[in-house]
Amino acid sequence: MRMESDTFDALDLQLLSALEIDGRASFSRIAAVLDVSDQTVARRYRRLCAEGGLRVVAIRDAHRLGHDQWMLRVRCTPDSAVAIGDALAKRPDTNWVGLTSGGTEVLCLTRPRSQGDHDDLLLGKLPRTPSVLEIRAHQVLHRFYGGVHGWVRKFGVLTADQIAALRPRTAPVPGPARIGPEDEPLLAVLERDGRAGHPELQRATGRSESAVKRRLTSLIASGAVYIDVEFDNELLGFPVAAMLWITAAPAALHSVGEALAGHDRIAHASATAGTSNIVASALARSTADLYAYLSGPLGHLDGVQHVEVTPFLRRVKQLTYPRPVR
């Protein structure tokens, strides 16, 4: 893909791609791989944070942890969408909230940590909200793309050698991924700032610096946690975003999902239960570009029976915290 932006250049894109591979990589290591100075990387990073909405945070991988995920479609009266979205963004069991359909629908990705969280949201608070007209819940069954696989890598700005040099040097941890109560102070810091230094993590946890390093390395190597990046897509020349609710023939469900994972315009795709069986998020340069994708690569996939498109109005919460007003 080509980046179309007057503000950011190819080096910024390389830096974003490097952070997707290892969000905790030191500026010196990134600089060596990109063949620039440490000061250049640090300066570009600070500018991306200030002007491009860049945040690096730790994410609990529900897929690897075996936790349920639900995508909720909350249809509501237009005058209440913002308030409902803000209320959902404040909940600790949500990690993505957006407004779509001209402000008449709130989308929410929730990861309940207990059955009580799930029941409280789906059977308690939301149904009792007078301005909520309808709730559709789609359980996430399988991830085709997203999570540890970031969208920026689809630009192909790093060579295979650069990618290999940036990958964290950790051996896989045998056994199932696990997060224990003792990990919560550590994750509380990393979910705010995935690049927090070891001294800060030591102060938050009361552990020695070496113990903090070992546990963080183990959490990442096991797949329980990964370091993700958030940024403003419009600054890369992709201001248009939409959620795609796709119905595929059951026999074609996996092949359609795998094909979507390879499409440049797709930032995330999962199989779900519900009225559709695949949900995907698409990014485009313009509404014409979105139409070209829908009528071209997506429309030509064998097995696709129906597609509903809900354009984003704005994101209320992404990753772990509500988005700041910019």
Side-chain angles (χ1 to χ4, degrees), residues 196-246:
H198 289 113
E200 182 181 353
L201 298 177
Q202 180 184 0
R203 289 192 298 270
T205 61
R207 301 180 184 182
S208 68
E209 186 170 331
S210 59
V212 166
K213 288 181 180 179
R214 287 195 302 272
R215 186 53 186 154
L216 179 55
T217 298
S218 178
L219 285 169
I220 292 174
S222 72
V225 171
Y226 62 92
I227 308 299
D228 204 356
V229 297
E230 171 191 346
F231 52 89
D232 294 333
N233 300 320
E234 56 269 26
L235 295 176
L236 299 185
F238 289 79
V240 176
M243 191 67 77
L244 311 180
W245 308 91
I246 301 168

Side-chain angles (χ1 to χ4, degrees), residues 17-325:
S17 191
L19 291 169
E20 279 191 342
I21 296 168
D22 184 359
R24 291 185 58 81
S26 67
F27 288 155
S28 59
R29 184 168 157 220
I30 295 173
V33 171
L34 301 185
D35 195 23
V36 296
S37 70
D38 298 12
Q39 293 80 5
T40 296
V41 170
R43 184 174 64 253
R44 294 295 184 109
Y45 177 83
R46 289 193 294 268
R47 186 164 68 94
L48 283 168
C49 291
E51 301 176 21
L54 175 64
R55 291 172 63 236
V56 180
V57 296
I59 300 291
R60 304 165 195 250
D61 194 334
H63 177 70
R64 293 294 300 272
L65 290 167
H67 296 170
D68 282 347
Q69 284 184 290
W70 293 78
M71 178 67 78
L72 307 183
R73 302 183 65 180
V74 183
R75 190 166 62 88
C76 52
T77 57
D79 61 341
S80 65
V82 173
I84 291 173
D86 288 343
L88 287 170
K90 293 174 182 175
R91 292 181 60 99
D93 55 355
T94 64
N95 69 334
W96 188 93
V97 180
L99 306 184
T100 67
S101 305
T104 61
E105 185 174 73
V106 179
L107 297 184
C108 171
L109 181 62
T110 178
R111 293 195 280 196
R113 299 183 188 180
S114 69
Q115 186 62 40
D117 288 343
H118 178 264
D119 292 349
D120 176 57
L121 186 60
L122 281 183
L123 304 178
K125 287 184 171 57
L126 279 176
R128 291 199 300 266
T129 304
S131 51
V132 170
L133 306 176
E134 180 187 24
I135 303 170
R136 282 187 276 176
H138 299 253
Q139 186 177 15
V140 178
L141 304 177
H142 177 79
R143 185 172 65 205
F144 296 112
Y145 195 82
V148 294
H149 301 296
W151 178 66
V152 176
R153 72 179 56 189
K154 292 188 175 184
F155 283 82
V157 295
L158 298 179
T159 67
D161 287 343
Q162 287 175 314
I163 292 171
L166 285 164
R167 289 196 190 282
R169 297 178 178 89
T170 56
V173 175
R178 176 188 172 275
I179 294 174
E182 68 279 5
D183 297 316
E184 293 301 331
L186 175 67
L187 293 179
V189 175
L190 293 170
E191 287 174 341
R192 291 192 301 269
D193 178 10
R195 293 183 62 82
H198 289 113
E200 182 181 353
L201 298 177
Q202 180 184 0
R203 289 192 298 270
T205 61
R207 301 180 184 182
S208 68
E209 186 170 331
S210 59
V212 166
K213 288 181 180 179
R214 287 195 302 272
R215 186 53 186 154
L216 179 55
T217 298
S218 178
L219 285 169
I220 292 174
S222 72
V225 171
Y226 62 92
I227 308 299
D228 204 356
V229 297
E230 171 191 346
F231 52 89
D232 294 333
N233 300 320
E234 56 269 26
L235 295 176
L236 299 185
F238 289 79
V240 176
M243 191 67 77
L244 311 180
W245 308 91
I246 301 168
T247 302
L253 176 61
H254 192 74
S255 62
V256 169
E258 290 292 310
L260 287 170
H263 288 179
D264 289 347
R265 295 297 182 270
I266 297 299
H268 170 269
S270 291
T272 66
T275 52
S276 58
N277 54 14
I278 294 178
V279 60
S281 55
L283 302 172
R285 296 188 178 95
S286 63
T287 52
D289 184 41
L290 177 61
Y291 172 76
Y293 172 70
L294 297 173
S295 60
L298 178 59
H300 293 157
L301 284 181
D302 290 336
V304 173
Q305 299 176 330
H306 181 264
V307 179
E308 179 187 359
V309 183
T310 53
F312 287 122
L313 184 62
R314 71 179 177 92
R315 293 173 177 85
V316 180
K317 180 179 184 179
Q318 188 165 334
L319 300 182
T320 54
Y321 280 81
R323 287 172 63 88
V325 176

